[in-house]
Amino acid sequence: MKISTIASVTIVGSTMAGSLMLSPVRQPVAPAAPVARTLPSTGLQVAISRIRHGLDLEAPAAPTEIYEQYVPPPAPAPAPAPAPTPARAAAPVTWAPSPGYVTIPVPIYRQTRNLNCETAALQMGLAYYGHYYSQDSLFAYENPDLRPAQWINGVLHWGDPYTNFVGNVNGSETNLTGYGVYYPVILSIARSHGMPHAYGGEGFSPGTIYAELAAGHPVQIWIEARWSRPAVRTWTAWDGRSIRYSLAEHSVMLTGVSATSVRVNDDQFGSQYWVSKATFETSWRDFNNMAVIYR
C-alpha cells in the first residue's frame, strides 16, 4: 500500500520514461528523543495512530515527488578533559549500544503515488548503494496491467502482481482500481539498476532476515500497512495464477535490528521507527514471508 490503506492499533515510530537518474537533495534531519535507552535517536520518529481499515484517504491528485535524504545524527563532540576530582568520585556514565545492535543508514523516501510503496522501497535500497533514480522512472519498468478487476461467477479475477504492477498506481485498493506488485518485478529492476547480487523470494525465515540486517544489507519486505491485520484472500489472475492478497498490502524497507526489534523506513509516511520482531513477523507472514535483500 500505501496512501490508500488504513487499519487499527498504535505504534511509535520515528518521469515515466526510460532510466532517468536524479540525485536526491540532502537535507539534515534533527535527531529526536530516543525511543528507549537501548535505541539511539535515528532520524524522524512519529507517533502513528491507526484508524479503521476501509476508509479511503487518497488524495485527488498525485502528490509531488519528494526526495528526503536521511542523514544520521552527528557524532557527539569529544568531551573536554575532566578536571581533577577526588579519588572517590565516580567515573561519568556514557551510553553505549547493546550487543548485536545494528543500523544501516538507508535514506528515507516517501512514496509519490497512492500505491507505489514497492517502488519507493526499491528507490531507498538502490540509493543506499549510490544508485539514484526517481520513483516514476523505476515504475516505468513495472509495466502496469490496467485491465479492471472483474467478478466472474463469484470469483475475483485481476492481474498478476508477480509479473506486472496490478491496476492504476493512483487508484484505490478498497475500490479495486489499483493494487501493487510483488517481489519478482522489484528484484528484476534492482538487478538491472546496479544491484546484480540482490536476491529475493518467499518463505524466508526471520533468522535469515535478521542475519542479513546484521551484515549491513537492507531488506525490503511485504506487510500490511500500519501493521494491520485485515482479511487475507485470493484472486485468480488472468494467467491463471492464484494470488494471495490483502487490501492493506504494503512494502517497506528494514534498516536495522536489535535483540527485540527491527527498524523500519516506512515510505507511506516518509518516516523511520522501530517495531517489535513479533509485530513484524506476524504481518510479514500474511505475504508468505516475501522479501528482497539488497547486497
Side-chain angles (χ1 to χ4, degrees):
M1 174 192 112
K2 348 268 189 181
I3 295 170
S4 67
T5 311
I6 334 282
S8 74
V9 181
T10 299
I11 61 178
V12 174
S14 88
T15 204
M16 250 347 229
S19 57
L20 174 63
M21 300 182 65
L22 298 177
S23 297
V25 176
R26 294 186 174 271
Q27 178 178 347
V29 178
V35 174
R37 288 290 294 173
T38 57
L39 301 178
S41 173
T42 53
L44 295 177
Q45 298 185 9
V46 298
I48 303 168
S49 297
R50 298 182 185 168
I51 54 181
R52 294 186 183 280
H53 177 66
L55 299 178
D56 195 343
L57 298 184
E58 297 160 4
T64 302
E65 183 157 4
I66 298 171
Y67 283 87
E68 181 179 342
Q69 178 73 39
Y70 170 65
V71 179
T85 57
R88 291 187 299 175
V93 177
T94 57
W95 179 88
S98 58
Y101 176 93
V102 173
T103 58
I104 310 167
V106 177
I108 304 169
Y109 294 151
R110 186 175 183 179
Q111 65 190 71
T112 60
R113 308 289 177 187
N114 286 357
L115 304 177
N116 71 340
C117 58
E118 305 94 349
T119 312
L122 167 66
Q123 183 189 35
M124 293 187 222
L126 293 176
Y128 173 65
Y129 290 96
H131 308 296
Y132 297 105
Y133 296 87
S134 71
Q135 289 177 37
D136 280 352
S137 69
L138 293 171
F139 181 78
Y141 291 91
E142 297 175 25
N143 300 315
D145 182 346
L146 299 177
R147 289 176 289 183
Q150 294 184 29
W151 290 94
I152 302 174
N153 297 325
V155 176
L156 179 63
H157 289 70
W158 210 359
D160 186 344
Y162 289 93
T163 61
N164 303 82
F165 185 95
V166 175
N168 185 336
V169 71
N170 286 311
S172 161
E173 291 170 312
T174 52
N175 292 334
L176 298 181
T177 57
Y179 183 72
V181 68
Y182 286 170
Y183 84 88
V185 178
I186 295 299
L187 177 59
S188 176
I189 299 171
R191 287 177 170 173
S192 65
H193 284 69
M195 303 298 300
H197 302 298
Y199 71 100
E202 296 180 43
F204 285 105
S205 70
T208 296
I209 301 307
Y210 303 146
E212 290 288 3
L213 292 170
H217 302 143
V219 179
Q220 181 173 351
I221 58 168
W222 276 253
I223 55 166
E224 281 116 348
R226 310 190 191 196
W227 308 95
S228 58
R229 297 300 309 288
V232 176
R233 301 184 176 92
T234 61
W235 77 59
T236 300
W238 305 120
D239 58 16
R241 192 197 306 260
S242 179
I243 305 298
R244 184 178 175 89
Y245 77 95
S246 163
L247 292 182
E249 183 265 344
H250 189 37
S251 186
V252 298
M253 186 68 75
L254 299 185
T255 62
V257 62
S258 73
T260 60
S261 306
V262 290
R263 191 175 72 171
V264 181
N265 284 22
D266 194 330
D267 37 69
Q268 181 178 5
F269 307 101
S271 64
Q272 184 181 82
Y273 53 84
W274 292 82
V275 297
S276 71
K277 287 180 175 177
T279 297
F280 151 60
E281 291 176 20
T282 299
S283 184
W284 186 45
R285 195 177 302 123
D286 285 342
F287 287 90
N288 197 30
N289 294 17
M290 185 184 299
V292 170
I293 292 86
Y294 290 76
R295 52 185 303 177

